[in-house]
Amino acid sequence: MTERSFSLEPAAAASRTVRKPLIQWRQIPSYLFLAAWSIFTICALSWVVLASVKTNREVFREPFAIPAEPQFVNYDRVWSNSQVGLAFANSLITVGASVILILVVSAPAAYILSRAEFKGRGLLTMVYIAGIGIPYPLLFIPLFALLAGLRMNNSIPGLVLIYVSLSIPFTVYILTGFFSTLPQELEDAAVIDGATDFQVFSRVMLPLAAPGLLTATIFNFIGLWNEFQLALIFIQEPDLRPLSLSLYTLKNSMTYSGDWAGLFAGVVIVVVPTIILFVILSERMISGMTLGSVK
């Protein structure tokens, strides 16, 4: 009787084991919403790309049809005649310099806030977090007066300074959570080997924080590449306009000229770099966010 009961226990345990479905019923609405949103986004982007290689007549007469003969001359016309090429270079310089400076300033600050013990660390961390929620319009007048005092108004270095100062709180917040997940034993081993605090940070902890740095780089690049409001306020010189502001000017001019195919070509030029960057590095970005969220 005892042997039989022992032999039935694994079978009973197996019968009680119920495999959980891959998708639970309560998750179905979320997946349906994400699927619908993805399909809408793909269709919208595909339509814009198709419209950018059509003639103006085809855009209105056959908006959803494949163009009979692709008009790649739209890109050449917009790139050359509408100064989109110059604006692309301005955005590349501005955003590239801003992202580098943001990481140079934010990485040491996040490392100190996450690893060091000092009085007021919690308050300083809360100040950084509070900086994320400050609306940009409240800062227009102080920033304009500050740049005017530094004689950096209406210049790319001035815009870079604004981008860096306003992006530091968010970047520090991301990197602080990531540095907190790194093991303390590595720091202790480096100190025992005679490394200074700066060597511990630059040679040990900073390479380990590469996924977090990559995540911060992607977020800042996409956000600053598409930024419009600050550029509109602090850049008045046409030759210094970034790509987002140039697209706005192009839209106003196309309203009167009727070159809507050229406008769609300008939209593609603005959107494609960020899409390519996100597609290539999205997996690393998600892994970096996941590692930084678990301590």
Side-chain angles (χ1 to χ4, degrees), residues 2-279:
T2 305
E3 294 179 356
R4 183 179 179 183
S5 62
F6 281 126
S7 63
L8 291 177
E9 285 182 0
S15 63
R16 290 194 301 267
T17 303
V18 179
R19 292 184 178 180
K20 293 183 179 180
L22 296 178
I23 301 177
Q24 299 180 3
W25 288 104
R26 60 184 180 182
Q27 296 176 337
I28 290 179
S30 300
Y31 281 101
L32 290 177
F33 174 78
L34 292 176
W37 182 257
S38 300
I39 294 173
F40 172 78
T41 303
I42 294 173
C43 292
L45 291 176
S46 301
W47 183 82
V48 171
V49 173
L50 288 177
S52 67
V53 293
K54 292 181 178 181
T55 62
N56 290 318
R57 181 175 297 179
E58 289 177 333
V59 169
F60 291 98
R61 288 190 175 184
E62 300 175 349
F64 301 105
I66 298 176
E69 184 178 353
Q71 302 293 322
F72 294 104
V73 68
N74 295 334
Y75 288 92
D76 181 65
R77 183 174 65 255
V78 171
W79 186 270
S80 303
N81 300 338
S82 301
Q83 293 186 331
V84 173
L86 179 60
F88 188 91
N90 291 337
S91 289
L92 200 60
I93 295 172
T94 304
V95 175
S98 299
V99 170
I100 293 175
L101 291 176
I102 289 168
L103 295 180
V104 169
V105 175
S106 300
Y111 174 73
I112 295 298
L113 289 176
S114 61
R115 315 297 289 191
E117 295 290 343
F118 59 92
K119 187 176 181 180
R121 186 185 69 169
L123 177 61
L124 186 58
T125 303
M126 292 301 298
V127 170
Y128 275 105
I129 296 175
I132 301 175
I134 298 178
Y136 287 172
L138 294 179
L139 304 176
F140 285 164
I141 296 178
L143 288 176
F144 197 91
L146 178 62
L147 291 184
L150 296 174
R151 296 182 179 179
M152 298 177 65
N153 200 6
N154 194 26
S155 65
I156 290 181
L159 187 61
V160 169
L161 181 62
I162 292 175
Y163 282 168
V164 172
S165 59
L166 296 181
S167 301
I168 285 177
F170 174 73
T171 308
V172 170
Y173 174 72
I174 291 180
L175 295 181
T176 299
F178 190 85
F179 276 115
S180 300
T181 65
L182 300 181
Q184 180 69 33
E185 291 78 7
L186 296 176
E187 288 182 285
D188 298 336
V191 172
I192 293 174
D193 290 339
T196 63
D197 292 339
F198 180 76
Q199 290 174 337
V200 172
F201 167 71
S202 60
R203 298 184 180 181
V204 179
M205 307 306 289
L206 198 60
L208 294 175
L213 295 174
L214 182 60
T215 301
T217 299
I218 296 174
F219 273 114
N220 283 300
F221 182 87
I222 294 177
L224 296 180
W225 184 268
N226 299 318
E227 199 283 321
F228 170 77
Q229 194 174 29
L230 295 172
L232 179 64
I233 297 299
F234 296 101
I235 297 294
Q236 293 83 36
E237 190 69 28
D239 293 338
L240 301 178
R241 291 172 179 169
L243 195 56
S244 59
L245 192 57
S246 178
L247 181 63
Y248 175 73
T249 306
L250 180 64
K251 179 259 179 186
N252 291 335
S253 63
M254 293 303 177
T255 302
Y256 299 100
S257 63
D259 190 4
W260 294 100
L263 178 60
F264 289 126
V267 172
V268 172
I269 293 175
V270 175
V271 173
V272 164
T274 57
I275 294 177
I276 293 176
L277 181 68
F278 186 81
V279 169

